[in-house]
Amino acid sequence: MVSASQYVAKVLEKLKEKNACESEFHQAATEILESLELVFEKHPEFIESNLLERFVEPERVIMFRVPWFDDKGNVQVNRGFRVQFNSAIGPYKGGLRFHPSVNLGIIKFLGFEQILKNSLTGLSIGGGKGGSDFDPKGKSDNEVMRFCQSFMTELQKYIGADVDVPAGDIGVGGREIGYLYGQYKRLTNNYSGVLTGKGLAYGGSLARKEATGYGLVYFVEAMLKAEKKSFAGKTVVISGSGNVAIYAHEKATQLGAKVVAMSDSNGFIYDPQGIDLDTIKQLKEVERKRISEYMLTHPHATYTEGCFGIWNIKCDIALPSATQNEIDEQSAQTLVQNGCIAVGEGANMPTTLEGTNVFLKNGVLFAPGKAANAGGVATSALEMSQNSQRMAWTFEEVDAKLKNIMENIFAQADSAAKEYGHAKNYVIGANIAGFLKVADAMMAQGIV
Ligand code: NDP
Ligand code: 2IT
């Protein structure tokens, strides 16, 4: 029989050949598969049943046309996606991303990561992801609504509370989930928990909005605690100023840290006194404006065009929470030189493979996204539980469960890393711990 490393290399080579233009999927798969070599050494039965080649192939890929009328009466056409990657441990679960950069490779990398992330939560949810190359920026509410209605007209054929439960991601927040839910209900005449991140008036969960950012900070706090460190008194830089970034700021500040920089896709602000979160919430959640407008009310701060320069700001803890590949090798080196002790990925795959290696080699505590940002989807699963029970839990109940789940994910990643001889390497730990549960379920279910 082939060795574990030959087997992994062969599957990876075939994956790259079969999915030639999907660079983000190659990147996510390379990181995950290389960690899994250690698992295949211990489990030759996984190689015998060609588990890995089945694991990297989505169970189903849906791609569809999304036609809609803009406010001028012109017909616009976008492309919609839903990748139903793996249902071994539960119904497909994962967000929808609306951003002009969206393509199949991006949705596949996100869906692939989601399988392991969802497994780490300990809850019964499989991996999926979807979205569209639609750009909500600069569109009127009516345009966003017409787009969402058209998108759901097709998507509703493939989803269901026990089948596939989408949620938000970049460009999809409460407004979009509301329009999508309204159209689902209208077409199916079925009031069920088919989407998460819903408004509180129609089945949403308290603390879902806060969950990814809070969960990120809970995870990093657990990672720091293992080194007898904490957030108190630390300087923090957070990229992005969307859902994840805002609530990471809120929780880090509650724990005694000072957040000095945040960004959007145009540029970043630096406020040495600590960024005023109420202003950011007003600009981003209410007015949908650019972060540069922070300067109008906080003239002592500085604004710099371009989002990547944010990593030149000296900090103790970096929480990249905007998008993929925002920290490259150079930015990682700068962070290390500036004395950064911990990095927590709020975004999915915000660090390149080279950047990750810089952190690991220099002893920076590194919390990979699939573990550190799992609080969002975990709380989505709590929303699904509340929907099935027709119950609503209090904010405190949900938040306490979230904190417990994040501490548990840290413990799993930590113990798998130790067991496989790579203590404190939470990339390897999270990949292995997440994979083993899915692998066991796939083995038990036969060749499917
Ligand atoms: P939002 O749409 O609320 O915010 C995204 C933020 O990132 C905005 O500030 C946006 O700036 C910035 N951004 C987006 N794309 C780019 C880009 N290509 N270059 C530079 N900046 C960019 O999204 P979320 O906060 O929900 O998501 C942020 C990240 O967290 C994503 O990687 C997502 O996959 C991940 N994530 C989200 C979860 C959730 O529950 N929402 C759960 C787990 C992970 P601008 O406004 O200018 O576009
Ligand atoms: O990347 C993610 O985990 C999300 N965007 C959240 C998915 C969800 O189903 O809540």
Side-chain angles (χ1 to χ4, degrees), residues 120-143:
L120 284 167
T121 66
L123 303 166
S124 172
I125 39 179
K129 197 84 187 188
S132 174
D133 58 1
F134 174 73
D135 186 358
K137 250 187 239 127
K139 304 289 190 300
S140 68
D141 280 356
N142 279 334
E143 288 177 320

Side-chain angles (χ1 to χ4, degrees), residues 97 99 117 137 169-171 208 212 240-244 263-265 284 290 307 321-323 346-348 373:
R97 177 177 291 190
H99 192 272
K117 183 194 304 192
K137 250 187 239 127
D169 192 81
I170 292 176
R208 173 62 188 88
T212 312
S241 48
N243 175 259
V244 179
S263 61
D264 62 19
S265 56
K284 291 294 177 182
R290 301 284 80 207
C307 40
S321 303
T323 192
N348 285 305
N373 71 36

Side-chain angles (χ1 to χ4, degrees), residues 289-360:
K289 288 196 171 145
R290 301 284 80 207
I291 206 163
S292 54
E293 297 213 8
Y294 184 84
M295 302 302 297
L296 299 176
T297 47
H298 298 77
H300 62 275
T302 52
Y303 173 73
T304 310
E305 275 294 319
C307 40
F308 293 103
I310 193 169
W311 307 119
N312 296 328
I313 295 172
K314 188 172 161 52
C315 64
D316 303 309
I317 298 170
L319 303 176
S321 303
T323 192
Q324 64 274 1
N325 292 331
E326 35 166 333
I327 300 186
D328 61 7
E329 189 171 15
Q330 180 58 52
S331 302
Q333 271 158 1
T334 307
L335 281 162
V336 170
Q337 277 154 19
N338 284 341
C340 175
I341 58 161
V343 175
E345 295 191 321
N348 285 305
M349 205 169 76
T351 315
T352 62
L353 293 171
E354 297 76 17
T356 303
N357 283 334
V358 170
F359 292 136
L360 294 177

Side-chain angles (χ1 to χ4, degrees), residues 397-433:
E397 275 175 282
V398 180
D399 188 36
K401 288 187 203 300
L402 167 66
K403 186 158 192 271
N404 191 270
I405 289 169
M406 297 315 296
E407 288 171 356
N408 207 356
I409 296 176
F410 174 73
Q412 286 180 69
D414 190 44
S415 96
K418 282 182 187 136
E419 187 187 332
Y420 283 81
H422 291 267
K424 296 189 190 183
N425 184 329
Y426 305 116
V427 175
I428 288 182
N431 285 335
I432 292 181

Side-chain angles (χ1 to χ4, degrees), residues 82 92-97 110 113-114 117-118 125 128-129 165-170 172 196-197 208 212 244 346-348 369 373-381 383-384:
R82 187 73 184 166
Y92 310 107
K93 180 84 197 85
L96 298 171
R97 177 177 291 190
L110 290 163
E113 290 269 308
Q114 199 82 42
K117 183 194 304 192
N118 293 4
I125 39 179
K129 197 84 187 188
V165 182
D169 192 81
I170 292 176
V172 178
T196 58
R208 173 62 188 88
T212 312
V244 179
N348 285 305
N373 71 36
V377 74
T379 307
S380 279
E383 182 173 330
M384 290 163 70

